[in-house]
Amino acid sequence: MNLDLSSDQLLSTTRAVRHRLDLTRPVPRRLLEECVDLAVQAPSGRNRQRWHFVVVTDPERRAALADVWRAGVTAPGASEPLPQRDVRRASVARMDRVYSGTAHLYAHLHEVPALVVPCVEGRTDHAPVLRQAGTWGSILPAVWSFMLAARARGLGTCWTTGNLVDERESARVLGIPYDDVMQAALIPVAYTLGTDFRPAPRIPRDRVLHWDRF
């Protein structure tokens, strides 16, 4: 199901979907392949194209990966309290929904029809900021393109990182060569319960836009 969305609608309504993932409806392989085809049209540093997408649909492997993620999100120090400036920006009401959504994912992640782990060749452990920026800048645009493509097809996604707390174990579950390939996230993918997503409240432009200097 392709949604008839303008580019502005697509960009402003691609939400982090947690509560509204349809856990009962399989996602066709063809749609996931289409999303990856669009994802790899994104730019990458020096056109190296070091991206990889591990799509997990096998129930047993999904369950094993979900267990790694659950252990990660509940590990000591995995989730630090938000600084007050971030609390003010996010608003307590909206953050309550984020926490509720995380709890929902915790209970149901293994039931999500597809879990996608985007990866990039080359590790940035203890690397200088310049190298980190080049590496992350070579995978994040592709992942965002994947998420936009999914939204256009009636699919919901959410950027999560619980698998990175024990990235080695996640790599073992998925057969990823840890020393050479770095995982960027774990993206649940499912059809959404309804498609009526709206633009979200955001900080006013005059607080984030700077001309000529900060």
Side-chain angles (χ1 to χ4, degrees):
M1 176 183 64
N2 278 37
L3 304 181
D4 185 16
L5 298 172
S6 70
S7 57
D8 284 359
Q9 287 174 318
L10 181 64
L11 289 167
S12 64
T13 65
T14 301
R15 303 265 66 85
V17 183
R18 303 175 183 89
H19 286 287
R20 293 175 59 182
L21 296 171
D22 188 340
L23 306 177
T24 66
R25 187 178 176 189
V27 176
R29 177 173 179 149
R30 171 183 56 82
L31 290 188
L32 294 165
E33 291 175 340
E34 288 177 4
C35 292
V36 172
D37 286 345
L38 291 168
V40 298
Q41 289 297 314
S44 66
R46 304 185 202 173
N47 197 29
R48 287 176 289 188
Q49 304 179 55
R50 293 179 175 178
W51 39 50
H52 296 270
F53 292 82
V54 183
V55 180
V56 186
T57 58
D58 173 75
E60 290 186 6
R61 204 171 297 272
R62 280 197 336 247
L65 184 58
D67 284 344
V68 176
W69 184 89
R70 290 188 184 101
V73 298
T74 55
S79 181
E80 298 179 356
L82 282 178
Q84 279 303 305
R85 65 178 182 277
D86 292 335
V87 171
R88 288 192 296 271
R89 288 169 176 162
S91 95
V92 173
R94 291 198 294 273
M95 287 309 300
D96 284 348
R97 183 160 180 79
V98 170
Y99 297 141
S100 172
T102 301
H104 182 76
L105 272 187
Y106 186 93
H108 297 285
L109 186 61
H110 62 289
E111 301 174 60
V112 177
L115 303 177
V116 178
V117 179
C119 306
V120 61
E121 295 177 24
R123 302 202 61 81
T124 61
D125 309 74
H126 312 298
V129 170
L130 178 63
R131 185 177 158 208
Q132 291 183 45
T135 300
W136 289 107
S138 294
I139 183 63
L140 297 186
V143 181
W144 181 232
S145 290
F146 176 93
M147 297 167 84
L148 290 170
R151 163 68 174 145
R153 288 158 176 76
L155 302 172
T157 61
C158 179
W159 184 283
T160 74
T161 54
N163 57 312
L164 304 184
V165 176
D166 192 352
E167 189 191 352
R168 283 187 183 274
E169 179 60 14
S170 178
R172 185 195 67 77
V173 168
L174 300 178
I176 296 170
Y178 174 86
D179 292 333
D180 301 313
V181 175
M182 183 169 62
Q183 299 166 59
L186 186 156
I187 312 292
V189 184
Y191 281 104
T192 57
L193 301 172
T195 59
D196 56 330
F197 294 94
R198 301 183 299 275
R202 288 292 186 255
I203 302 170
R205 179 180 59 211
D206 60 8
R207 291 178 54 190
V208 299
L209 176 61
H210 309 273
W211 292 101
D212 297 327
R213 57 171 294 169
F214 196 93

